[in-house]
């Protein structure tokens, strides 16, 4: 078997230790005589698994008791509707910062349900930076304020949170959850699709403050109501049982590797390796500048489409896969989530040096 270095933005690499553990337990979990995949979600064996995963996530992320953890489906994209259907129910106003395609989708979907305002946007420069925010533009009576904390496609991230006062701050953390410590108390709600940094696709994690539950509009579908899922321990219907189990293994791995502080150090080291090379290369250039650079998703270009294509092709042949950039940015993008080992980045940089020398 030869495993490649997978730089996909998602679904993405999982730690090998997690896959091996899952493989070892695939046919029989513990001494249950069955696979986790085959378990009734109403069984006491499965209840122990989901309770353990929730406790693990609360411990790793230091989630306070006044927040619920919900294990849902439908991806981060369903949250674009679920959030307004549950929260855009006071003044009917919500504020948004448009830092990329996902932030914009959240804004567009919410706009179907209320008065949504763009506070700032970085569209003018292909979302290559985080715009300055003027708190005077924030609406004090808004039901929430939405940001995308890490912009998966464009490779930028917020390093300073907007001060929204009593207005709940909501963040899409799909591509940065578990990558470094996060102060949950600064947010009313956090949400993430699992397939970037938490596990396989199919699981969506929502962390929501208690006082924001129970405000859904009358028309909200039952399956889209946070209260229903909170009251039923994410078991109103069948939850994504296997994905939740894998998240548990990922959390064990995070804990064994220093928790979120450990992840931060590991991720900063990897990102620095690649950014340092990019900043010194004559051929490759990072598309995001300075402090706004993501630790997780690093887009870069040569400035020549043919050369970009040649690079992606040759990299693939060397076992560095999924380096093609998003079509809206072009060039390349290396997504280096928690599971990407340092050697993966070191070897990629070594290959980029060779490529640069050979094509100068
Ligand atoms: C991947 C991603 C999404 C979309 O997630 P789905 O689970 O496919 O709906 C939304 N927001 C961000 C920041 C993402 O990285």
């Amino acid at each position: 078997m030869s495993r490649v270095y997978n730089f996909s933005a998602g679904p993405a690499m999982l730690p090998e230790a997690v896959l091996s553990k899952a493989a070892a337990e695939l046919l029989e979990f513990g001494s249950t005589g069955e696979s986790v995949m085959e378990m009734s979600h109403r069984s006491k064996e499965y209840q122990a698994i989901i309770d353990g995963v929730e406790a693990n996530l609360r411990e790793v992320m230091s989630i306070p008791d006044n927040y619920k953890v919900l294990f849902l489906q439908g991806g981060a994209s369903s949250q674009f509707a679920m959030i307004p259907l549950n929260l855009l129910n006071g003044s009917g106003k919500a504020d948004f910062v448009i830092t990329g395609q996902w932030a914009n989708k959240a804004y567009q979907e919410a706009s179907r349900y209320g008065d949504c305002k763009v506070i700032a946007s970085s569209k003018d420069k292909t979302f290559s930076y985080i715009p300055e925010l003027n708190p005077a533009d924030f609406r004090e009576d808004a039901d929430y304020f939405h940001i995308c904390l890490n912009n998966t496609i464009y490779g930028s991230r917020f390093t300073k949170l907007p001060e929204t006062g009593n207005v709940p701050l909501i963040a899409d953390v799909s591509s940065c959850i578990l990558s470094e410590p996060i102060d949950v108390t600064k947010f009313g709600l956090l949400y993430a699709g699992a397939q970037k940094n938490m596990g396989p696709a199919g699981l969506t994690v929502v962390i929501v403050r208690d006082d924001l539950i129970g405000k859904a509009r009358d028309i909200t579908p039952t399956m889209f109501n946070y209260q229903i899922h909170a009251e039923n321990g994410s078991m109103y219907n069948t939850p994504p049982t296997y994905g939740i189990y894998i998240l548990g293994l990922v959390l064990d791995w995070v804990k064994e590797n220093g928790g979120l502080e450990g992840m931060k150090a590991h991720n900063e080291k990897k990102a620095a390796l690649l950014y340092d090379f990019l900043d010194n290369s004559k051929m490759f250039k990072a598309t995001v500048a300075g402090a706004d650079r993501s630790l997780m998703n690093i887009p870069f270009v040569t400035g020549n489409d043919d050369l970009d294509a040649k690079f992606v092709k040759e990299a693939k042949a060397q076992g560095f896969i999924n380096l093609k950039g998003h079509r809206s940015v072009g060039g390349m993008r290396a997504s280096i989530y928690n599971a990407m080992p340092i050697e993966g980045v070191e070897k990629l940089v070594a290959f980029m040096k060779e490529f640069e020398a050979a094509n100068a």
Side-chain angles (χ1 to χ4, degrees), residues 9 74-78 80 102 148 150-152 172-175 191 193-196 204 337:
S77 301
S78 289
F80 299 161
W102 298 118
C148 181
N150 182 76
N151 296 287
T152 322
D172 180 349
V173 290
S174 293
S175 52
Y191 65 100
Q195 68 274 19
K196 280 56 186 267
T204 308
Y337 299 114

Side-chain angles (χ1 to χ4, degrees), residues 150-161:
N150 182 76
N151 296 287
T152 322
I153 294 173
Y154 303 94
S156 70
R157 64 160 176 164
F158 282 83
T159 49
K160 186 168 98 238
L161 296 177

